[in-house]
Amino acid sequence: MEAFWISLVVIFVAELGDKSQLMAMTFATRFRAWPVLAGITIATTVVHLVSVGVGGLAGDLLPTTAITVVAGLAFLGFALWTLRGDELTDEEAAKAQKAQRTVRSAIIAVTVAFFLAELGDKTMLATITLATQHGWLGTWIGSTVGMVAADALAILVGRMLGRHLPERVIRYGAAAAFAVFGVILLLEALLA
């Protein structure tokens, strides 16, 4: 239990103001809250499982520079995709009303974005460090819960903003946020 609580608090605090929290807010302006939270939970669960595995075996086995470059390029791709916007055909609009395709796409987009963003991120490194000092199971569950809780707060804020802003502002803002994340990640890789 000690590993759970320490990991929960450390990761929750580390996540506050992190790019992942800003991503959660951005995604929440475009998609319903539960697919965003589901995508975050899936990505976080996997990344933190890898983190505790790495932390349990050694300290630095991941080539974080290469992962950071891939994540940066992916974010620039998300920015372009967001700027382009999505046009629905009549058939797709009918499917969207049933919400199956939209929910699935949202979960996949959020999962991939968060998975890439968290690889080599400070919360992943913090989880690796915690796993070297505490039990892997408590660290894994605590760090996952801490991150999902912090990002859930961002989703709530994103949903509130999404109700009050025009779609065009949200689209440009989201594209700018993804572009900034991409550039930051690429700069981190170049400076490493």
Side-chain angles (χ1 to χ4, degrees):
M1 280 309 283
E2 180 181 329
F4 169 81
W5 288 111
I6 290 171
S7 298
L8 187 149
V9 171
V10 167
I11 298 303
F12 181 86
V13 170
E15 188 66 11
L16 295 176
D18 191 58
K19 69 178 179 273
S20 304
Q21 200 174 38
L22 296 173
M23 283 176 37
M25 196 180 312
T26 302
F27 275 121
T29 63
R30 294 190 55 127
F31 302 115
R32 292 193 322 235
W34 78 265
V36 175
L37 192 59
I40 290 169
T41 303
I42 293 166
T44 301
T45 300
V46 173
V47 169
H48 287 209
L49 181 59
V50 169
S51 299
V52 297
V54 169
L57 297 172
D60 44 21
L61 295 176
L62 293 175
T64 56
T65 301
I67 291 168
T68 303
V69 168
V70 170
L73 293 173
F75 279 111
L76 292 176
F78 285 134
L80 293 174
W81 182 14
T82 301
L83 269 180
R84 182 182 64 101
D86 290 328
E87 298 291 324
L88 292 178
T89 65
D90 292 337
E91 183 181 332
E92 289 173 329
K95 288 180 182 179
Q97 289 176 351
K98 294 180 183 178
Q100 291 302 315
R101 186 161 193 248
T102 304
V103 169
R104 205 170 339 151
S105 296
I107 291 172
I108 291 168
V110 172
T111 300
V112 169
F114 269 81
F115 182 80
L116 290 173
E118 286 306 309
L119 290 176
D121 190 52
K122 69 181 177 186
T123 52
M124 180 183 186
L125 299 175
T127 303
I128 290 171
T129 302
L130 289 165
T132 64
Q133 300 167 355
H134 304 285
W136 74 270
L137 184 61
T139 301
W140 175 43
I141 295 170
S143 64
T144 301
V145 170
M147 185 162 165
V148 171
D151 290 336
L153 288 175
I155 290 169
L156 290 173
V157 171
R159 295 301 298 165
M160 287 188 285
L161 286 176
R163 283 191 220 123
H164 301 292
L165 295 174
E167 184 178 336
R168 187 175 182 185
V169 171
I170 292 169
R171 184 173 43 163
Y172 289 143
F178 284 129
V180 167
F181 297 143
V183 169
I184 289 170
L185 287 170
L186 290 173
L187 287 174
E188 284 178 12
L190 289 174
L191 298 175

